[in-house]
Amino acid sequence: MDILQLIVSGLANGCVYGLIALGFVLIYKATEAVNFAQGDFMMLGAFITLGFTNADHMGLPFWLSVILAIGIMGILGYLLDMIVLRRMFGQSQVAVVILTIALGFVIRFIAGLIWGHEPQSLESPLSGLELRFGGLVLGMDEVWVIIVTVALTALLYVFFARTKLGIGMQASSQNQLAAYYMGIPVKRIHSMIWALSGVVAAIAGILFASKGSIDPTAGLLGIKAFAAAVIGGFGSLPGALLGGIIVGLVEPFAARYMPAGYSQIFPYLILVVMLVVRPHGILSQIQTKKV
Amino acid sequence: MRIVFKTSYDADIRLFKHKAQAFWYLLLFALAILLPFLISDFLIGEATLVLIWAICGMGLMVLVGQTGQASLGHAAFMAVGAYSNVLYQEHFSMPFLLSFPLAGLTAGVAGALIAMPITKLHGIYLAIATLAISVLAEDLIVIMEPLTGGVSGLFAPDIEIFGFVFNRYGNPVELYWLVLFITFLIVYLYRNMLRSPIGRSFAAVRDSEVSAKAMGINVARTKMVAFAISCFITGLGGALMGHFATIFTNETFNLIMSITLLLIIVVGGLGTIHGAFFGAIVFVMLPLVISLTRDALTVFADSGSVTIPGLESGLFGIILIGFILFEPMGIYGRWLKIRTYFELFPFYRKDMFRRQKSYLKTERTR
Amino acid sequence: MSLLELKNVTLRFGGLVAVNDVSFSVEEGEVFALVGPNGAGKSTILNMISRLYTPAEGDILFEGKSILGAEPHDVPVLGIARTFQNIELFEQASVLQNLLVGRHTHCCSNFLTDMLFTPFVRAQERVHREAVEHVIDFLDLQPYRQKLIAGLPYGVRKVVEMGRALAVKPKLLLLDEPASGLSVEETQDVAFWIEDIKKVMGVTVLMVEHDMHLVSSVSDRVMALADGSMLSIGTPQEVQTDPAVIEAYLGSDDGTESGEAA
């Protein structure tokens, strides 16, 4: 029973990592940029919801705040691409990496300015509820994280496979120039992708904050999500989720069975080993350049 | 505008392009030596810090600016330098003159060893791998507690050379001169690197790996050498940083420091020695300027001191975003434009430095 | 003994046969051209010789020895230099630095002596510079010495790339479409240079080119390829009049006079 509980809490954590990783992968697939601020996006989404709904801030109803936060993060993502990242068109990947790192600094600073640096937790109707199966006690919040993640992934899958916009996004990720020639508005699609990843980050943030506390440095969690994305191969949405779950599951077991101090290095160890053994993850996208 | 008539091949090999340039740099160096007579001891401490950051920045510059390999984990090599320097002094009772270069060497070897598996990676994959290394290093310091003192950290003794003691608080001016001398040596080595075959092969690897190969450059080996040189210099900077901080822990060389180092050289200007210095100056001066403005504001507002935690990194982030968007070549790039403007006056054209617009160069193919 | 010899070389990419059982040899001192429609496998053959690809079957001999065991960076040491179809120069470096990189195989210093800039390194730099100046004189690149590649026009870049390959002082020079994208005058220059590379420098040239006019004016022998297989080999005249070649890519009607045959 003990092990089962470890698995569930690991799964729940893993789903949050997976969702952040999903955000990386969405943007990477479409624009080849990597958003190092994705973790900070998540933190921001959580804080916006928290600011709307918590009694000592605005005290709005929970679900309204969730919708508001998701909307705001979507718009923020869109504007960010339109105003900032579009200027980076054609510049090297590393420049974009540095830009998004700086963006993370700024987001962290703003979040600290508005909501303070003390850890706070989101007052959600889910927290505190428990689900009992015989001797097994599961936190309702953890179960919800898993359900929402699965639903969101399914939704994204349908979006990319079935809708015109989704297929346009795929096309522009395969070959920007060709997509441009085919009349696909590449720039607008990039902005939409950023909006979408903002939405995913907001959801991840809400889930994360409802099952624990959050403070402005929570964005550093994004590094674990990197491990997840790399394991998944940086090019595949299910891969990102799978990677997140692997990292999430490894953590509690390492904490349990390894001496103290060694457990937290495990996700990074997996990351480094993965990069060395299979540099481009499970699903590789890299080909040799033609000369 | 100055026209230099070159009469021998050495004109392009020499360190300075012409006499006037040599004169200005010598003047700058003289000014740096005389600086302690011009400013207070506190500011000399800050100047020392600028030099130390500039050394670390030059280390990273070899890798990022010259060889085009991103590293988000250079604080790990600063840590190797700082820890090994102190440990050599304590456990083998080595003098600073021996432990200091050895610490750099240790960091260089560590860099080369780590480079072997990870230089196969490109772009973001390399960035992420080095990021992981930075995080791992932080945890490793805690795990290796018997050696490193874990979370309680290590105490760096005063630097002692032939019985003469250098201490940040006791004699800041002498420490400044020592660091200045080391900085000077490293700049000299860096300049030599740039004008010799190794510097050219770095540039070749940066700009086109496939044609570097076709010209006979062993790309994997060149990247390893770049890592080694880069980590050697950064390790020396780390060792100095250890002495300057007097006490350091796993927290001192954390991921944020790795990232900060990268941001410093980007703000300063990638690919140039000047960039490392400009970036370091901005980074060290920023908290000073903030606290000065704060003091000024409190005088006006008279409402006690207003402290905003995280203001420095937030402001630094904003400055950086501004630079990447509007001046990707950093402060040094801006300086070049201004200088060209005056040299060519009134013939400067706005598009002289414009770069070719291009569609995204995919990095999915290598 | 031929300078370069390909023996029954086959290369496949997945299911696609890019080069199918191709054999030919390049004699010392000649200009040998590979022609054929796009996708015929011409550049692929150059890439195999510079060891970027490894053939599935067959062998490649240079001066009688197999080079299949060599790494790409060993190839210029053997004496084979090349240019690329879509110019692969070092964008953020000057013309001079690009050409000096070509001298890399002649460098005997290591990174330690380089960083200390010992007198030996300085002397070596002077020798490299002199060698590079010969190339600059040969290709009339004097005005561009200190210019960054990133700001140079296309035609000059093509010449710089040829210069960089010449700076290697190769025995065999591989040119991948040296005239593509060049104006008529520039193409004429390229023709003269190739002549001089052969006659004055004594370098053997193996080139891939679409411009039949250039090919027939400079090359001693030509091989035509289509779909990875050899169609015809011989003097430019023989190949151009070979019915199989005309059939394959000049079209079935009489097109012997077409300058651009692609």
Side-chain angles (χ1 to χ4, degrees), chain A residues 198-215:
Chain A
V199 167
V200 173
I203 295 173
I206 294 165
L207 293 175
F208 179 74
S210 67
K211 68 183 197 60
S213 61
I214 189 150
D215 65 289

Side-chain angles (χ1 to χ4, degrees), chain A residues 26-33 81 89 159-160 164-194 285, chain B residues 359-362 364:
Chain A
L26 274 176
I27 292 175
Y28 181 70
K29 259 186 90 107
T31 68
E32 282 194 35
D81 181 68
F89 222 61
F159 172 72
F160 277 111
K164 204 176 159 192
L165 182 61
I167 291 167
M169 283 179 179
Q170 284 211 33
S172 76
S173 80
Q174 299 286 332
N175 188 336
Q176 243 178 47
L177 201 57
Y180 188 72
Y181 288 148
M182 294 308 289
I184 295 172
V186 174
K187 287 185 178 175
R188 205 162 73 228
I189 280 198
H190 281 188
S191 300
M192 301 258 219
I193 285 275
W194 276 84
Q285 281 216 327
Chain B
Y359 257 83
L360 184 75
K361 268 193 195 160
T362 179
R364 285 182 189 146

Side-chain angles (χ1 to χ4, degrees), chain B residues 158-317:
Chain B
D158 289 346
I159 298 172
E160 204 187 315
I161 299 172
F162 301 130
F164 196 86
V165 176
F166 297 86
N167 179 289
R168 178 185 172 185
Y169 303 104
N171 46 0
V173 172
E174 281 78 1
L175 181 67
Y176 168 78
W177 277 329
L178 177 69
V179 174
L180 184 66
F181 176 69
I182 294 167
T183 313
F184 178 76
L185 275 185
I186 290 171
V187 170
Y188 177 69
L189 290 181
Y190 201 120
R191 278 293 282 135
N192 282 344
M193 186 194 83
L194 287 185
R195 60 176 170 161
S196 60
I198 189 74
R200 288 196 297 267
S201 58
F202 286 168
V205 169
R206 176 188 66 198
D207 289 348
S208 167
E209 283 191 19
V210 67
S211 62
K213 277 182 199 163
M215 293 300 117
I217 293 170
N218 184 339
V219 172
R221 199 175 152 272
T222 305
K223 283 185 186 174
M224 210 174 90
V225 170
F227 253 91
I229 294 176
S230 162
C231 294
F232 170 75
I233 298 175
T234 307
L236 291 182
L240 289 174
M241 190 72 93
H243 279 294
F244 189 78
T246 59
I247 188 156
F248 51 89
T249 68
N250 59 319
E251 292 277 313
T252 316
F253 303 103
N254 60 10
L255 177 64
I256 300 292
M257 198 171 205
S258 292
I259 292 173
T260 307
L261 196 56
L262 184 64
L263 302 190
I264 282 177
I265 61 170
V266 173
V267 166
L270 275 183
T272 57
I273 300 177
H274 302 77
F277 283 86
F278 283 135
I281 290 171
V282 169
F283 178 70
V284 174
M285 288 302 156
L286 197 63
L288 276 182
V289 171
I290 289 173
S291 77
L292 283 178
T293 6
R294 189 182 296 145
D295 292 348
L297 284 179
T298 13
V299 169
F300 284 115
D302 198 32
S303 57
S305 81
V306 208
T307 44
I308 307 168
L311 180 63
E312 280 116 24
S313 57
L315 261 185
F316 198 59

Side-chain angles (χ1 to χ4, degrees), chain C residues 186-202:
Chain C
E186 287 168 331
T187 308
Q188 206 116 62
D189 284 342
V190 169
F192 288 132
W193 282 326
I194 292 176
E195 287 271 282
D196 279 357
I197 288 170
K198 180 176 90 169
K199 288 194 185 119
V200 181
M201 296 191 163

Side-chain angles (χ1 to χ4, degrees), chain A residues 5-15 17 142 244-245 247-249 252:
Chain A
Q5 238 150 5
L6 277 186
I7 289 179
V8 173
S9 78
L11 268 180
N13 267 334
C15 284
Y17 300 152
E142 290 181 341
I245 289 171
V247 173
L249 281 178

Side-chain angles (χ1 to χ4, degrees), chain C:
Chain C
M1 179 185 68
S2 316
L3 187 66
L4 179 81
E5 194 175 357
L6 272 77
K7 281 186 180 163
N8 310 92
V9 170
T10 300
L11 179 71
R12 299 182 196 91
F13 292 120
L16 179 85
V17 184
V19 175
N20 186 15
D21 194 25
V22 167
S23 305
F24 65 90
S25 57
V26 179
E27 303 304 325
E28 202 160 346
E30 74 173 341
V31 174
F32 192 101
L34 296 173
V35 298
N38 285 327
K42 304 170 306 271
S43 288
T44 312
I45 289 176
L46 289 202
N47 285 343
M48 280 194 286
I49 297 168
S50 53
R51 299 293 301 112
L52 297 173
Y53 299 148
T54 300
E57 286 154 36
D59 202 356
I60 301 174
L61 305 175
F62 184 70
E63 297 183 310
K65 285 193 267 311
S66 171
I67 60 166
L68 290 186
E71 292 284 318
H73 57 254
D74 296 330
V75 173
V77 182
L78 298 172
I80 305 177
R82 69 167 294 175
T83 65
F84 295 89
Q85 196 174 335
N86 305 309
I87 309 184
E88 289 280 340
L89 284 168
F90 308 123
E91 291 277 326
Q92 299 303 319
S94 67
V95 169
L96 194 60
Q97 283 170 320
N98 267 275
L99 296 177
L100 283 168
V101 171
R103 298 282 304 168
H104 187 86
T105 51
H106 303 268
C107 287
C108 328
S109 58
N110 60 34
F111 72 95
L112 282 178
T113 51
D114 278 357
M115 289 193 70
L116 296 171
F117 216 75
T118 53
F120 167 72
V121 176
R122 183 182 289 266
Q124 179 192 267
E125 283 294 290
R126 286 190 196 121
V127 174
H128 289 334
R129 179 64 191 270
E130 197 183 343
V132 162
E133 283 298 328
H134 285 302
V135 175
I136 289 176
D137 282 344
F138 179 68
L139 295 175
D140 293 329
L141 283 170
Q142 294 90 340
Y144 306 107
R145 270 192 203 102
Q146 305 290 348
K147 295 259 175 23
L148 280 195
I149 300 295
L152 289 181
Y154 182 86
V156 180
R157 292 181 193 214
K158 273 247 116 77
V159 180
V160 173
E161 203 184 25
M162 201 151 96
R164 189 180 62 180
L166 284 175
V168 179
K169 272 211 171 295
K171 293 172 195 149
L172 174 66
L173 181 64
L174 311 176
L175 298 175
D176 201 346
E177 301 195 12
S180 72
L182 296 187
S183 68
V184 179
E185 290 83 4
E186 287 168 331
T187 308
Q188 206 116 62
D189 284 342
V190 169
F192 288 132
W193 282 326
I194 292 176
E195 287 271 282
D196 279 357
I197 288 170
K198 180 176 90 169
K199 288 194 185 119
V200 181
M201 296 191 163
V203 175
T204 313
V205 176
L206 169 60
M207 71 171 179
V208 168
E209 185 50 64
H210 279 304
D211 188 333
M212 284 312 288
H213 201 74
L214 175 69
V215 168
S216 49
S217 67
V218 298
S219 39
D220 301 302
R221 283 194 305 149
V222 177
M223 183 168 107
L225 292 150
D227 296 326
S229 306
M230 193 184 90
L231 278 185
S232 164
I233 191 165
T235 63
Q237 220 56 47
E238 286 165 14
V239 170
Q240 266 180 310
T241 49
D242 190 321
V245 176
I246 296 168
E247 173 77 32
Y249 86 118
L250 293 182
S252 44
D253 57 301
D254 184 32
T256 39
E257 268 314 296
S258 84
E260 266 287 336

